[in-house]
Amino acid sequence: MVLSVANKADMAKMGFAPMLSVAVLLGTLAAFPAAVHSIGVCYGVVANNLPGPSEVVQLYRSKGIDSMRIYFADAAALNALSGSNIGLIMDVGNGNLSSLASSPSAAAGWVRDNIQAYPGVSFRYIAVGNEVQGSDTANILPAMRNVNSALVAAGLGNIKVSTSVRFDAFADTFPPSSGRFRDDYMTPIARFLATTGAPLLANVYPYFAYKDDQESGQKNIMLNYATFQPGTTVVDNGNRLTYTCLFDAMVDSIYAALEKAGTPSVSVVVSESGWPSAGGKVGASVNNAQTYNQGLINHVRGGTPKKRRALETYIFAMFDENGKPGDEIEKHFGLFNPNKSPSYSISF
């Protein structure tokens, strides 16, 4: 999860524009067929009081949640998912990046032990690294290549290999049409994704942009704009598109970065997005979390102003996690409490 948003000035500007009109939020659950995979939920397990994986999978199914993200090859979760038809993003775990990058045989072994061993699991994407920073970024592409080659060799080339990036992997994100990759290492990754047909996975959190803006004293981002509520309209003179929510502006800046890298065919999957319901920080409340997450669910099936098609998105997270490090808000992103009761009313 992104703990802070780089490029705060750009992000603040996203909420600072004339109030030109009140737009209707796009997309309803009923407007698209069930086969469209738009909303999943991340299943984090940094806690000591969560239900077992079999109960968790049953909860997903009972709520009609057809996609999940897990953050490592969790054997118990994979066994529980077998036969469930729940589409899965599975992370390799950042600690494995070095070995996967340096050794094709290690990648083949990882695929054998963690994917081929679970033929009943509906693997969709493998995330080779989550929010990798510093010198470790050099391992991302070699590891992606090795894991992809291992999947193809195993006859599993339909499972796409990507990496999940922080939003501060992008720069000049306001206006959205100015978006670009902040660092050079991202362009070869995007080009690899273009050759394999895999999407770029990105963690997109309007909450942190809003929190940083408010705490900085700028107070340019309106709460309604950050939570899918009407009242603020932002016009991008670069692409002549109109924005009524911060989420769309952030995602479209990613599309702009991909275009500038020469890879306009690469799609985006939002691999995390959410809002905390408690924790003492600005904007962290049950009401705001419910408003944001329900708005997200209702919205993404209509895509963004730049890409009017269903945007596959994963809410962070299924449960509050009492073992999460960092600020107290990190423990309060769950849609559900550990006893499986809802943290607030939400409809999928």
Side-chain angles (χ1 to χ4, degrees):
M1 184 184 302
V2 182
L3 298 181
S4 64
V5 175
N7 215 12
K8 290 181 185 177
D10 287 347
M11 294 304 305
K13 290 175 186 175
M14 283 182 167
F16 183 64
M19 307 276 282
L20 299 179
S21 66
V22 176
V24 177
L25 289 177
L26 295 173
T28 63
L29 288 173
F32 290 82
V36 174
H37 298 292
S38 291
I39 282 288
V41 180
C42 302
Y43 172 30
V45 294
V46 186
N48 61 8
N49 58 353
L50 298 182
S54 294
E55 291 181 70
V56 172
V57 169
Q58 181 54 40
L59 183 60
Y60 272 70
R61 297 181 74 178
S62 71
K63 300 300 180 183
I65 306 168
D66 67 3
S67 304
M68 176 190 288
R69 180 183 181 185
I70 60 176
Y71 291 88
F72 63 99
D74 182 342
L78 292 170
N79 281 320
L81 283 163
S82 184
S84 69
N85 291 320
I86 292 174
L88 186 67
I89 299 178
M90 184 168 74
D91 289 36
V92 301
N94 287 1
N96 292 320
L97 276 182
S98 179
S99 63
L100 294 174
S102 61
S103 172
S105 63
W110 189 91
V111 167
R112 180 193 65 237
D113 295 342
N114 300 302
I115 299 178
Q116 290 177 274
Y118 300 94
V121 175
S122 299
F123 295 100
R124 193 174 294 163
Y125 312 116
I126 303 302
V128 177
N130 180 48
E131 300 187 344
V132 179
Q133 300 181 76
S135 60
D136 286 342
T137 57
N139 288 323
I140 298 173
L141 184 55
M144 289 174 64
R145 291 187 186 279
N146 286 341
V147 171
N148 186 70
S149 294
L151 286 169
V152 171
L156 297 171
N158 60 305
I159 302 171
K160 297 303 181 182
V161 175
S162 188
T163 189
S164 183
V165 299
R166 293 161 57 100
F167 188 70
D168 62 6
F170 310 95
D172 298 335
T173 52
F174 183 85
S177 59
S178 296
R180 62 177 177 84
F181 289 129
R182 180 177 298 278
D183 297 308
D184 291 341
Y185 74 87
M186 284 298 303
T187 296
I189 289 173
R191 290 174 178 165
F192 178 73
L193 297 175
T195 65
T196 63
L200 178 64
L201 308 180
N203 298 341
V204 179
Y205 283 95
Y207 170 72
F208 288 109
Y210 173 76
K211 179 183 78 71
D212 288 352
D213 173 70
Q214 299 297 302
E215 291 180 344
S216 72
Q218 296 181 63
K219 300 189 176 180
N220 288 323
I221 299 179
M222 305 292 186
L223 180 62
N224 63 289
Y225 187 61
T227 58
F228 298 101
Q229 297 302 291
T232 300
T233 300
V234 176
V235 177
D236 183 339
N237 291 326
N239 60 20
R240 300 186 181 277
L241 295 174
T242 299
Y243 293 88
T244 58
C245 62
L246 181 55
F247 176 85
D248 279 355
M250 294 172 77
V251 173
D252 277 2
S253 72
I254 299 173
Y255 286 127
L258 288 164
E259 289 178 352
K260 290 182 178 66
T263 56
S265 65
V266 176
S267 61
V268 173
V269 168
V270 176
S271 45
E272 287 183 12
S273 191
W275 197 285
S277 61
K281 294 292 184 179
V282 61
S285 71
V286 168
N287 181 66
N288 289 341
Q290 192 277 338
T291 300
Y292 178 82
N293 284 321
Q294 190 65 67
L296 184 69
I297 291 167
N298 295 345
H299 185 79
V300 294
R301 284 165 171 80
T304 70
K306 190 172 179 64
K307 302 283 187 181
R308 290 295 187 195
R309 59 177 182 245
L311 175 63
E312 189 174 349
T313 298
Y314 291 75
I315 297 177
F316 189 91
M318 194 64 172
F319 298 102
D320 283 345
E321 297 175 75
N322 64 9
K324 292 281 286 188
D327 290 342
E328 180 66 19
I329 56 169
E330 295 296 316
K331 299 178 173 66
H332 300 282
F333 274 81
L335 299 177
F336 294 89
N337 298 303
N339 66 4
K340 298 186 289 185
S341 65
S343 299
Y344 40 80
S345 176
I346 202 82
S347 177
F348 287 91

